[in-house]
Amino acid sequence: MTTRYRVEYALKTHRRDQFIEWIKGLLAVPFVLYSQPHGVFEYPPSSPELGTSPPGSPNPILIKAREEAHRRYAEILHDVELMIDDHIAHQNDPDNPFPSKLKLLVPSIGPFFTRLPLEAAFKFQDRKRYISSRRFVSPSFNDVRLILNSAQLISVTSTTPGSTLQLATFDGDVTLYDDGQSLEPTSPVIPRLLDLLRKNIKIGIVTAAGYTSADRYYARLHGLLDSIATSVDLTPVQKRSVIIMGGEANYLFQFDPASEHLLSPVPRSEWLTAEMLLWDDRDITQLLDIAEAALADCIETLNLPAVLMRKDRAVGIIPSSPHIRIPRESLEETVLCVQKILELSSAGRSKKVPFCAFNGGNDVFVDIGDKSWGVTVCQRWFRDPETGRPIRGENTLHVGDQFLSAGANDFRARSVGTTAWIASPAETVELLDELGELMGKKMS
């Protein structure tokens, strides 16, 4: 199932898109007022009513409509930008008991780590996507999503003190490579990641894939790992600035050129946070037992062509045959059902152990922890080179595709750092090219 279909389905049932949908609604007003699609039919460029230049010349009515739409879109996004600034001021003022105007209008809005220059980001995306020139298709969900991405990139590469990007974390499937595939040596994302390392930006790959051995991660990421190992212009320190956080937040591996699979496992005692140390194995087992029973019920109730898979820090269902595709609706139903059962269980209500139930595209898993914990471990592992403290949220960028479908494990990363929402590996390449340009050099 492609991400496009996941997004379209999730839009109907989940509220996590509320901010984007709200902005989209604001932009619909000038589209209705200024799009003027009638100009296309009533006044063709060669019409004598216009008294203009010969056929093939720009239509002045369409030019005027485009300019007016562009002006109004930019004004609206500038106003939203100011509302975000106000929201940031409220969230940073513990003595202010009142919600921001943005919080009142979009109750589900969360914290912001940086301001978002939405007007500048819109102008950039308008040059690429010709949003203002469209007469029949209003600004879409994807238009707003990409505008927010650009605004975030502008912010983390600005000259504002403390806004320097230090850590970039990435999801695996659908972000670095196609769903269920591997990062091959020919992937265009690899030179872009190497360029981040040359710029001394740390890289963490935070994936739901929960493997306990390095060979499994090497099989998925061999193109990148081999390229790092054979690079002649990366320093040893830069090469070791890559870690893999697997199973959301359960298995840590660091790049190691001396290892057979170019990765060395890091003992949990070296990277668990103080909060994670409190996760008791008995509570973990209890929660996974409940999840396993709930998943088994879903297999029976929905007649799913799937089998259970239990791991030490996760449990899930996978297709009973590699050639089977489980219906999207069945996967979403399973996630929501299991999540609700866990939330209402004694293990879930105690909140002793965080968990994440999510739709992986053709499977469903419940993992201990989530990507907010995984990104946090990356921030603490690398630390700020100047202060020695964990890398802050405003210096972190997490790139992923799972922000809408049930579970949406990348969504959790928003609580610990800035994020960029992509829909395919090709969009990741475009995002990294845009990031490279903003940092002063186009990535090659």
Side-chain angles (χ1 to χ4, degrees):
M1 178 175 60
T2 65
T3 298
R4 176 171 64 86
Y5 293 131
R6 291 183 201 169
V7 168
E8 289 173 355
Y9 180 71
L11 277 174
K12 299 178 179 64
T13 55
H14 300 289
R15 299 178 57 213
R16 289 172 177 154
D17 57 293
Q18 194 174 39
F19 184 48
I20 291 181
E21 286 292 323
W22 178 70
I23 295 177
K24 176 184 167 186
L26 295 177
L27 297 178
V29 175
F31 173 79
V32 171
L33 294 177
Y34 301 110
S35 63
Q36 298 185 25
H38 65 275
V40 176
F41 303 111
E42 296 181 14
Y43 303 105
S46 58
S47 173
E49 288 95 332
L50 290 175
T52 57
S53 45
S57 299
N59 186 329
I61 289 182
L62 295 183
I63 292 175
K64 181 179 178 181
R66 180 187 66 219
E67 292 175 346
E68 188 63 18
H70 178 91
R71 181 183 69 82
R72 291 294 294 124
Y73 292 156
E75 286 178 349
I76 288 172
L77 288 166
H78 178 72
D79 290 340
V80 176
E81 183 179 326
L82 296 179
M83 292 174 70
I84 292 174
D85 290 343
D86 172 70
H87 181 77
I88 293 173
H90 276 72
Q91 74 183 26
N92 293 338
D93 183 4
D95 296 325
N96 189 340
F98 302 104
S100 67
K101 181 178 181 180
L102 183 61
K103 185 70 174 179
L104 292 172
L105 293 170
V106 189
S108 65
I109 202 72
F112 289 84
F113 290 92
T114 65
R115 67 181 312 272
L116 292 179
L118 294 177
E119 182 181 5
F122 162 71
K123 292 177 179 178
F124 172 80
Q125 286 294 336
D126 200 27
R127 291 192 296 270
K128 292 179 61 177
R129 299 173 67 83
Y130 300 96
I131 302 169
S132 301
S133 298
R134 300 202 302 247
R135 307 274 66 83
F136 295 94
V137 179
S138 63
S140 69
F141 187 94
N142 278 332
D143 290 327
V144 179
R145 174 177 62 85
L146 293 172
I147 289 169
L148 288 169
N149 284 353
S150 292
Q152 193 61 81
L153 294 186
I154 293 171
S155 186
V156 298
T157 57
S158 71
T159 56
T160 304
S163 63
T164 305
L165 180 62
Q166 297 176 355
L167 169 65
T169 60
F170 298 87
D171 175 40
D173 289 82
V174 189
T175 300
L176 294 179
Y177 40 81
D178 290 328
D179 196 13
Q181 302 302 307
S182 302
L183 192 53
E184 301 294 339
T186 55
S187 170
V189 79
I190 291 176
R192 276 91 176 161
L193 296 178
L194 295 180
D195 206 39
L196 289 180
L197 293 175
R198 294 188 193 99
K199 291 179 169 65
N200 296 315
I201 295 175
K202 315 298 184 183
I203 292 179
I205 298 176
V206 184
T207 173
Y211 308 135
T212 58
S213 58
D215 60 314
R216 299 290 301 277
Y217 287 110
Y218 176 79
R220 301 297 299 272
L221 303 165
H222 62 276
L224 173 63
L225 297 173
D226 288 339
S227 296
I228 294 173
T230 58
S231 174
V232 296
D233 58 353
L234 289 176
T235 68
V237 172
Q238 290 170 336
K239 289 184 177 183
R240 289 184 175 273
S241 296
V242 177
I243 58 176
I244 316 298
M245 171 52 69
E248 310 285 0
N250 289 295
Y251 313 102
L252 183 63
F253 292 80
Q254 183 174 31
F255 180 83
D256 181 0
S259 172
E260 177 184 1
H261 300 292
L262 301 178
L263 291 170
S264 290
V266 182
R268 284 194 178 124
S269 59
E270 296 184 19
W271 57 265
L272 286 178
T273 67
E275 298 87 351
M276 297 169 81
L277 285 170
L278 300 177
W279 300 352
D280 189 278
D281 287 341
R282 291 169 297 182
D283 295 324
I284 292 173
T285 299
Q286 181 187 13
L287 189 142
L288 292 179
D289 286 345
I290 296 171
E292 183 174 355
L295 288 167
D297 286 343
C298 287
I299 291 177
E300 180 178 355
T301 302
L302 301 174
N303 194 27
L304 300 178
V307 294
L308 286 164
M309 175 178 285
R310 179 73 177 253
K311 303 179 180 181
D312 68 325
R313 290 286 180 119
V315 62
I317 60 171
I318 60 174
S320 54
S321 168
H323 307 292
I324 291 176
R325 298 295 300 181
I326 301 176
R328 172 190 70 203
E329 294 82 359
S330 296
L331 294 170
E332 301 285 278
E333 173 71 15
T334 300
V335 170
L336 296 172
C337 178
V338 173
Q339 183 170 300
K340 182 57 64 176
I341 289 174
L342 287 173
E343 289 173 350
L344 296 176
S345 70
S346 58
R349 294 197 310 273
S350 69
K351 299 186 183 301
K352 293 180 180 179
V353 178
F355 66 91
C356 178
F358 67 96
N359 168 9
N362 199 33
D363 55 37
V364 171
F365 268 89
V366 175
D367 286 338
I368 298 302
D370 57 53
K371 288 196 178 178
S372 68
W373 294 98
V375 174
T376 297
V377 170
C378 294
Q379 292 168 329
R380 292 176 176 271
W381 180 260
F382 287 119
R383 297 184 173 270
D384 187 305
E386 295 183 1
T387 65
R389 297 174 181 172
I391 294 175
R392 297 180 299 178
E394 54 265 41
N395 304 121
T396 303
L397 177 69
H398 178 72
V399 182
D401 71 293
Q402 284 271 11
F403 286 89
L404 263 184
S405 61
N409 54 1
D410 289 306
F411 181 84
R412 308 287 183 91
R414 284 182 174 174
S415 64
V416 296
T418 69
T419 58
W421 179 356
I422 56 84
S424 68
E427 275 197 9
T428 300
V429 171
E430 293 180 6
L431 183 91
L432 291 177
D433 280 341
E434 185 180 339
L435 177 63
E437 291 175 3
L438 289 169
M439 296 177 72
K441 174 188 174 184
K442 174 147 179 89
M443 296 184 183
S444 58

